[in-house]
Amino acid sequence: EGTGAASLLGAGKLEELADITGGRGIITPIVKTPMTKARKRFESAAEAHEPVEDETDDLRRPEFVIVDHELTPSQIRNLERATGAQVLDRTGVIVEIFHRHANTREAKLQVEMARLRYVAPRLRESSNGGGRQQGPGAGESNLSLDRRKIRDRLAELKTQLEAVQRDSDHRRSARKDQLRVALVGYTNAGKSSLMRALTGSQVLVQDKLFATLDTTVRTLQPETRPRILVSDTVGFIKQLPHDLVASFRSTLSEALEASLLLFVVDASDPTYEAQLEVSRSVLHEIGADVVPSRLVLNKMDRVDDARRAELLEKHPDAIPLSAHRPEDVSALRKTLIAFFEADMVEDVLVLP
Ligand code: GDP
């Protein structure tokens, strides 16, 4: 249906989709099919319970159909029947991408739980699908067996996750007295680049959504006394399905414990304000909107002078920079040090 896949992933991100579909994601034929024509074809084929007959050759028939909305399990089933293709909805795609990018044990466990939670209700609905006829082999007993397996596995994962989280709580409390800056913001805003520039570390930077799923913590370089830690969190995304927010709560909670949040936005992106809104609402959801924050307008190297003036007028307190310019990064470093120095002076004044 035209915009779905591309708008979910953003311009130039189709290779990520191709990746999910094992390199077979032929997107053009679907994108080019006029909405009404496609719908008519799907509807009549769905009524007849048979795959869509297309006048174009087999090569152009999609193997995957990706929809930028939530679909109900029966919608997915009907679409699959009508198109003869595998259907993924928005949550399905996001879960799949998260799955590919999870690196640490904690993220892997969280993603697997999110995946199973996504699958479970889809099994449930198809087992009592309003008395409709079931496909061969989709017997009631198999389904309840599958559901029990999923439940057991979820319980197992939950125990493992709790153990891992106790460990990271320990690590966190060991860091408690340290000064913390957390980079937050929309996915692809440039958080990893900034993190790398600030800390001199080798954090993965990729022009891909969700390259960062885990929180990384590094020391601000050159070292200060006391040390200032910088952490990079999972990128936010619009309409992040609720289950996934819950899954990543512990990853995001790193942001809650920071003394300062740097809201990173891609200032060269005309939709940056909508992205900022998304980040704000995710932070509100996890209760991190009480932490002091500064807006960082990143990728200013891509912005012309007129736009720069406009942005600065709109956000007078923002820090404009480019993560690719060393002089900008070192100015940000000075701002951070000054922030914490002022904070420490306040502490001294407050304490008798
Ligand atoms: P993250 O998802 O927020 O961690 O974003 P990344 O740090 O992975 O950056 C996403 C993409 O934007 C990468 O291709 C970076 O090279 C690019 N990028 C990051 N910062 C800048 C910048 O200041 N200017 C330009 N032109 N590109 C940048």
Side-chain angles (χ1 to χ4, degrees):
E1 290 190 9
T3 61
S7 81
L8 171 61
L9 291 178
K13 301 301 183 309
L14 291 180
E15 77 272 25
E16 182 106 37
L17 267 184
D19 216 29
I20 292 176
T21 58
R24 288 167 304 163
I26 302 169
I27 292 157
T28 345
I30 313 177
V31 171
K32 282 191 176 155
T33 308
M35 179 54 198
T36 43
K37 189 176 154 208
R39 187 194 284 151
K40 254 193 211 121
R41 264 216 320 266
F42 288 150
E43 280 174 359
S44 57
E47 255 168 46
H49 291 284
E50 59 191 26
V52 181
E53 286 307 329
D54 200 315
E55 61 278 11
T56 51
D57 68 53
D58 267 358
L59 268 182
R60 292 180 50 125
R61 189 166 297 170
E63 285 180 63
F64 287 86
V65 170
I66 294 171
V67 181
D68 189 15
H69 281 287
E70 302 300 317
L71 294 177
T72 68
S74 58
Q75 283 174 323
I76 290 186
R77 236 182 14 254
N78 288 341
L79 255 183
E80 285 188 340
R81 198 180 285 141
T83 58
Q86 188 180 331
V87 174
L88 281 176
D89 69 355
R90 189 182 168 83
T91 307
V93 173
I94 294 174
V95 167
E96 196 53 40
I97 298 176
F98 274 23
H99 179 66
R100 276 152 198 271
H101 290 292
N103 284 319
T104 62
R105 184 151 166 68
E106 183 171 6
K108 282 187 175 143
L109 290 169
Q110 285 172 329
V111 171
E112 193 180 344
M113 289 179 78
R115 236 183 165 191
L116 290 176
R117 287 206 194 95
Y118 175 70
V119 169
R122 277 150 186 85
L123 289 179
R124 196 171 304 135
E125 181 153 317
S126 64
S127 73
N128 56 18
R132 286 237 196 117
Q133 129 201 23
Q134 297 294 316
E140 190 59 58
S141 57
N142 271 349
L143 280 165
S144 45
L145 191 69
D146 285 350
R147 284 210 302 275
R148 203 173 53 236
K149 270 197 210 141
I150 289 182
R151 224 177 18 240
D152 291 351
R153 180 74 187 136
L154 273 171
E156 199 181 306
L157 289 169
K158 189 161 170 258
T159 315
Q160 292 177 10
L161 186 61
E162 279 163 5
V164 173
Q165 285 175 343
R166 267 197 303 278
D167 264 7
S168 53
D169 281 351
H170 273 306
R171 258 177 286 135
R172 242 176 243 156
S173 62
R175 292 197 302 252
K176 220 168 95 193
D177 295 330
Q178 288 166 314
L179 310 173
R180 302 279 296 278
V181 186
L183 301 173
V184 294
Y186 208 72
T187 186
N188 230 37
K191 298 179 296 301
S192 308
S193 306
L194 204 51
M195 166 95 177
R196 204 164 67 158
L198 283 170
T199 64
S201 65
Q202 293 301 310
V203 178
L204 179 73
V205 176
Q206 272 186 312
D207 199 5
K208 245 188 188 177
L209 298 180
F210 316 109
T212 318
L213 267 190
D214 310 300
T215 305
T216 333
V217 182
R218 297 278 186 275
T219 310
L220 184 71
Q221 290 293 343
E223 278 220 34
T224 56
R225 280 178 119 346
R227 279 167 74 190
I228 298 177
L229 298 182
V230 184
S231 64
D232 181 12
T233 54
V234 58
F236 300 152
I237 174 173
K238 115 183 124 135
Q239 296 164 29
L240 184 67
H242 247 78
D243 277 355
L244 292 183
V245 176
S247 300
F248 284 89
R249 196 170 293 269
S250 77
T251 310
L252 292 170
S253 69
E254 199 77 31
L256 264 174
E257 287 151 24
S259 332
L260 176 67
L261 295 182
L262 288 183
F263 251 112
V264 185
V265 296
D266 176 352
S268 71
D269 183 334
T271 70
Y272 82 96
E273 275 180 303
Q275 301 186 357
L276 188 58
E277 218 26 69
V278 169
S279 305
R280 285 213 177 98
S281 79
V282 174
L283 286 174
H284 177 72
E285 205 158 335
I286 62 164
D289 47 358
V290 292
V291 182
S293 66
R294 288 287 300 272
L295 178 63
V296 172
L297 297 169
N298 190 31
K299 308 199 190 180
M300 290 301 277
D301 54 309
R302 286 198 191 156
V303 167
D304 63 24
D305 287 347
R307 178 80 177 137
R308 183 186 175 90
E310 196 185 308
L311 283 165
L312 292 185
E313 197 188 351
K314 207 181 257 172
H315 308 284
D317 295 328
I319 306 168
L321 55 75
S322 162
H324 289 173
R325 276 195 218 124
E327 63 273 26
D328 287 3
V329 175
S330 87
L332 174 63
R333 190 177 287 124
K334 287 197 187 110
T335 307
L336 294 178
I337 294 170
F339 171 86
F340 284 109
E341 277 171 354
D343 210 38
M344 282 181 289
V345 171
E346 253 169 52
D347 281 351
V348 173
L349 292 179
V350 171
L351 294 172

